[in-house]
């Protein structure tokens, strides 16, 4: 299926430019948007996608609240020990390559999925990417990020 170009739009509905196809952009992306130099002069970032309307949402400034979230829901959980803990656990997690460990609480559902609550809001959590859990240097398991939790 070929890429379908569309509009880059602010959360207020202002069209800022055109995108080459939603598949080419990731949440939190700054480079390659081609809309620099407008607004307040701060860089622009991808904050969301509307697949049905083919809209790429953008915001200005790396500290914009819409770039951050307090948690996520993940699917396809693979727990290394093979047995999920019965209660929520405290551990650390990574959501991006080479990211420092982040403190989290992980609650496990009976469906093999989990909800991860962050100690500190995290930037650009992206559905489809992985979350990996650690206890110090020991990898506990991982899952596929399904959705951000506000």
């Amino acid at each position: 299926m070929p890429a379908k170009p569309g509009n880059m739009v602010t959360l207020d509905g202002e069209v800022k430019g055109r995108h080459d196809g939603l598949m080419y952009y990731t949440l939190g992306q700054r480079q390659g948007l081609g809309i620099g130099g407008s607004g307040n002069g701060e860089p622009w970032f991808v904050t969301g996608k509307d697949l049905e309307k083919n809209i790429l949402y953008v915001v200005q400034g790396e500290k914009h609240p819409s770039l951050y979230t307090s948690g996520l829901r993940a699917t396809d959980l693979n727990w290394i020990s093979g047995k999920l803990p019965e209660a929520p656990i405290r551990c650390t997690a990574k959501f991006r390559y080479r990211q420092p460990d982040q403190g989290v609480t992980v609650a496990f559902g009976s469906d093999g999925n989990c909800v991860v609550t962050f100690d500190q809001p995290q930037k650009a959590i992206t559905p489809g990417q992985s979350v990996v859990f650690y206890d110090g240097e020991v990898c506990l398991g991982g899952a596929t990020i399904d959705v951000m939790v506000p």
Side-chain angles (χ1 to χ4, degrees):
M1 177 187 224
K4 183 178 173 188
N7 287 331
M8 283 188 216
V9 179
T10 67
L11 297 178
D12 295 328
E14 180 183 353
V15 176
K16 298 306 292 183
R18 300 276 296 165
H19 66 77
D20 296 326
L22 294 176
M23 70 178 119
Y24 297 121
Y25 302 87
T26 187
L27 298 183
Q29 179 176 333
R30 174 183 172 191
Q31 302 296 324
L33 300 180
I35 55 174
S38 61
N40 64 17
E42 289 188 76
W44 289 90
F45 293 86
V46 174
T47 193
K49 300 177 185 184
D50 184 327
L51 299 177
E52 289 182 17
K53 296 179 182 177
N54 194 33
I55 294 173
L56 185 71
Y57 289 101
V58 294
V59 295
Q60 200 163 22
E62 70 177 289
K63 300 232 185 266
H64 193 283
S66 72
L67 293 172
Y68 291 83
T69 186
S70 62
L72 62 86
R73 188 178 68 226
T75 60
D76 301 323
L77 180 63
N78 180 9
W79 205 248
I80 302 297
S81 71
K83 185 175 189 290
L84 294 179
E86 292 182 21
I89 66 163
R90 294 277 309 143
C91 63
T92 60
K94 292 184 183 189
F95 322 101
R96 288 180 293 286
Y97 182 65
R98 293 190 181 175
Q99 174 186 28
D101 290 355
Q102 302 297 313
V104 299
T105 301
V106 184
F108 303 94
S110 59
D111 57 2
N113 297 332
C114 64
V115 173
V116 181
T117 304
F118 311 143
D119 290 356
Q120 301 291 320
Q122 297 295 308
K123 182 178 177 185
I125 300 299
T126 305
Q129 293 186 350
S130 296
V131 55
V132 181
F133 306 108
Y134 295 92
D135 180 5
E137 297 291 316
V138 177
C139 179
L140 300 172
T144 302
I145 298 170
D146 181 42
V147 65
M148 298 177 298
V149 176

